Amino acid sequence: MKRIAVFTSGGDSPGMNACIRAAVRGAIYYEVEVYGIYHGFQGMIDGEFSKMESYSVSNILQHGGTMLKSARSTDFRTKAGRKLAYNNLKAKGIEGIVAIGGDGTFTGANIFFEEYGIPIVGVPGTIDNDIFGTDKTIGFDTAVNTTLDAIDKIRDTADSHGRIFFIEVMGRDSGYIAIQSAIGGGAESVILPEKDATAEDVVNNLQDGIRRDKSFSIVVVAEKDDPGYAVELANAVKKTITDKDIRVTILGHIQRGGSPTSTDRTLASRLGLGAVEGLLDGKKDVMVGIVNDKLTFTPLKDAISKTKKLNPDLLRAMKILSI
Ligand code: F6P
């Protein structure tokens, strides 16, 4: 393999730049030419390719976002779009791809591999940590540290005023950000997409705390399909708990930005390099991950279709420690 390309796609996550840097420098180390594709699959269709040198990725490791930009491409969902993308890759002589993103990215990558056979190694980059085949995804650790910083600050004012706060975090289908934020932030209650909890359950939980003389409470809520679920829940709880001030904070996209933590920088660097080494070793249609501190390769099909279940130990710890 003499020429490869790297791109980022879907929701960005802190550490993607460190991963791009690792893929570019890894390729150069093995004397493979490397192109960056801007704006993900859309850039592949529009021909946004740029040859990367070692210096192209200097001074990006510590920055959030992605220097290659990101997009969610509707054109790539069509056969015609994918054909254009293939023609562009062929014209550039690209023989392998490193695709950094989440399950949407891997779904596109898997279809593209099945249609055109260009070897692709996916790298799990999403704050949601919802990808099967890796213990952690790039950006998750930074996102949780961002939520904890916010929760710590909210606790100060919640304590001063004796209020109940509902704090909404990201993770449309996955409660990883929520459960780790709740444990690390010392929350009284957590609402997860994986577990059906009603407003009544939350009320019972909060009232238990009030009976035990808790003067303020934090409820961490994982967003549902659209941001704002915490407001809905808080309004329902307000109907029963009338003698306490209830406030809502939606953390939103601040969770997606910021300088990556040490954990994310190391993870992203190992995975970016691992992806290139995987391609050179003949891997195709797989995702590189780290499981039990070892580099692994999981078929993209499994990474997409299998669910990484919440660790029951986290749920147990949350339950016991929030009394
Ligand atoms: O990156 C994953 C994620 O952060 C989800 O948790 C969230 O629901 C979604 O992206 C929102 O993304 P966007 O606003 O870019 O559509």
Side-chain angles (χ1 to χ4, degrees):
M1 199 170 275
K2 282 277 150 248
R3 192 172 295 158
I4 65 168
V6 55
F7 70 87
T8 50
S9 168
D12 62 350
S13 68
M16 278 187 165
N17 277 326
C19 188
I20 295 166
R21 172 180 176 271
V24 168
R25 297 226 167 135
I28 292 169
Y29 176 84
Y30 289 108
E31 296 177 359
V32 172
E33 275 188 29
V34 55
Y35 279 76
I37 305 173
Y38 287 82
H39 298 108
F41 288 121
Q42 193 57 46
M44 210 185 260
I45 293 170
D46 298 337
E48 289 188 79
F49 295 73
S50 174
K51 176 130 187 289
M52 309 290 275
E53 310 296 344
S54 189
Y55 62 77
S56 317
V57 290
S58 71
N59 204 23
I60 64 166
L61 173 85
Q62 74 277 28
H63 295 302
T66 158
M67 67 161 297
L68 291 177
K69 316 296 177 193
S70 193
R72 299 186 200 272
S73 171
T74 43
D75 291 347
F76 199 79
R77 297 207 180 129
T78 66
K79 262 191 179 298
R82 294 194 293 275
K83 177 95 182 102
L84 280 173
Y86 174 70
N87 290 344
N88 285 334
L89 291 170
K90 207 158 173 246
K92 281 263 178 269
I94 287 163
E95 299 165 295
I97 299 169
V98 174
I100 308 165
D103 54 357
T105 305
F106 299 159
T107 304
N110 179 240
I111 294 171
F112 196 61
F113 175 79
E114 282 177 354
E115 285 176 353
Y116 294 105
I118 297 186
I120 300 189
V121 176
V123 185
T126 162
I127 63 165
D128 290 346
N129 197 32
D130 58 347
I131 307 284
F132 177 86
T134 191
D135 287 343
K136 294 283 179 305
T137 57
I138 297 168
F140 170 67
D141 186 67
T142 309
V144 172
N145 278 293
T146 300
T147 66
L148 291 182
D149 182 48
I151 292 172
D152 289 350
K153 287 173 177 151
I154 291 168
R155 287 179 77 85
D156 290 345
T157 177
D159 187 8
S160 302
H161 290 266
R163 286 173 166 163
I164 296 172
F165 264 85
F166 284 74
I167 303 174
E168 183 173 297
V169 299
M170 277 187 163
R172 216 180 339 226
D173 308 311
S174 161
Y176 265 98
I177 296 178
I179 189 75
Q180 280 206 201
S181 304
I183 293 174
E188 273 59 44
S189 205
V190 62
I191 307 298
L192 304 165
E194 291 84 350
K195 288 187 137 307
D196 280 336
T198 61
E200 207 185 322
D201 297 330
V202 181
V203 167
N204 290 338
N205 203 332
L206 291 170
Q207 281 176 334
D208 274 354
I210 294 167
R211 273 193 289 278
R212 284 195 303 270
D213 289 333
K214 287 200 181 201
S215 60
F216 71 97
S217 297
I218 303 285
V219 181
V220 173
V221 183
E223 64 178 4
K224 278 196 168 171
D225 292 341
D226 292 309
Y229 178 49
V231 177
E232 201 182 299
L233 208 56
N235 285 339
V237 170
K238 270 181 197 169
K239 289 188 183 138
T240 316
I241 301 184
T242 51
D243 55 346
K244 283 254 174 206
D245 269 352
I246 296 180
R247 295 286 188 271
V248 180
T249 304
I250 298 174
L251 297 182
H253 288 77
I254 64 161
Q255 295 161 91
R256 288 245 295 255
S259 179
T261 58
S262 144
T263 300
D264 273 328
R265 293 181 199 201
T266 308
L267 176 70
S269 300
R270 288 177 76 188
L271 291 178
L273 176 59
V276 170
E277 290 179 335
L279 278 177
L280 298 182
D281 195 34
K283 302 270 190 309
K284 41 188 87 164
D285 205 24
V286 295
M287 182 197 81
V288 63
I290 292 182
V291 177
N292 294 332
D293 210 28
K294 291 237 156 34
L295 221 62
T296 55
F297 292 91
T298 302
L300 275 180
K301 269 209 166 86
D302 290 347
I304 300 158
S305 63
K306 295 192 178 171
T307 307
K308 180 157 78 183
K309 297 229 164 69
L310 275 187
N311 180 347
D313 210 42
L314 294 178
L315 301 175
R316 204 177 64 84
M318 175 62 204
K319 198 156 188 245
I320 294 172
L321 302 178
S322 59
I323 53 170

